[in-house]
Amino acid sequence: MTDLDHHVLNIMMGDADAFGAWLSDGAEYALRRALTRYATSVDVEAVLQEALLRVWQVAPRFEPDGKPNSLLRFAHTVARNLALSEARRHAPALRLQGRGAPPSGEEVPIEPALPDPHLRAALERCREKLPEAPRVAFDARLAAGGHESDGSIAERLGLRKNTLLKRFGRARALLLACLEKAGVSIQEELA
């Protein structure tokens, strides 16, 4: 199991890049996976965003417990409690299932996900098959990592924002089709 707590000191000091690295190194995936059991009862994306906002706000006062992934475990507790609160508010029947327990009664192990080398290889093969214009748009947006607006990416590439978005959308559709042909079920990968 990978310990993501090497980011904690920088996160506690307010380093947004460290928080982003913590998320992309596996924390976000682990939290999403743990919240899937609540998908029929709550808006998981809203719960996740609220939980991450709360973790970021509390981070300067966070005290690691010395065990691996202390911040991830804390974030899981925050997210689970938010999901349960939302579920109870919207579905009174869930109140009967016990305080603090996930609806299924089982705990999901909280650990960061390691990248799947076979999936990454399939993605790379499919990316290489993209026509040049969609591939350039896809690569530029991917390289920006969410830290640059679509408008500034488009400007850097000498495109209009709408053109960038259309090319990216085409790249995404072609990638999905290629992955399906390669036997990769996106629905299963995202589950």
Side-chain angles (χ1 to χ4, degrees):
M1 181 162 100
T2 304
D3 185 7
L4 299 179
D5 278 353
H6 62 275
H7 295 293
V8 170
L9 288 178
N10 290 333
I11 292 170
M12 291 172 65
M13 293 171 40
D15 185 343
D17 290 335
F19 191 70
W22 175 75
L23 289 170
S24 66
D25 283 352
E28 181 178 7
Y29 177 81
L31 292 170
R32 281 184 189 282
R33 188 170 143 244
L35 289 171
T36 56
R37 70 185 56 233
Y38 301 101
T40 59
S41 306
V42 300
D43 180 351
V44 171
E45 185 64 29
V47 169
L48 177 66
Q49 294 301 319
E50 179 65 24
L52 293 176
L53 178 62
R54 290 182 184 192
V55 169
W56 175 251
Q57 290 173 332
V58 172
R61 299 181 306 278
F62 179 72
E63 294 181 21
D65 61 8
K67 297 177 187 171
N69 288 311
S70 57
L71 187 60
L72 181 58
R73 286 184 285 107
F74 172 73
H76 174 256
T77 301
V78 170
R80 184 188 66 220
N81 289 345
L82 280 169
L84 286 170
S85 177
E86 284 295 305
R88 286 183 182 125
R89 186 162 22 120
H90 297 296
L94 290 176
R95 289 188 185 124
L96 302 175
Q97 294 187 6
R99 191 176 270 187
S104 69
E106 65 184 55
E107 280 295 320
V108 173
I110 292 298
E111 56 187 66
L114 297 175
D116 180 343
H118 301 295
L119 177 59
R120 286 188 180 268
L123 277 167
E124 185 56 29
R125 282 191 302 274
C126 289
R127 190 196 68 76
E128 289 171 358
K129 293 179 183 178
L130 290 173
E132 183 179 358
R135 187 178 65 243
V136 168
F138 180 81
D139 289 348
R141 200 162 185 226
L142 192 63
H147 299 292
E148 187 177 2
S149 72
D150 289 331
S152 64
I153 295 170
E155 186 178 314
R156 186 167 35 85
L157 295 176
L159 302 172
R160 292 187 356 223
K161 180 180 174 181
N162 189 43
T163 304
L164 172 77
L165 295 176
K166 284 183 180 180
R167 288 181 181 180
F168 181 80
R170 182 166 180 241
R172 184 174 48 203
L174 291 169
L175 279 172
L176 288 172
C178 178
L179 288 170
E180 289 292 328
K181 283 182 185 176
V184 176
S185 170
I186 297 303
Q187 294 305 319
E188 288 178 22
E189 292 297 331
L190 295 177

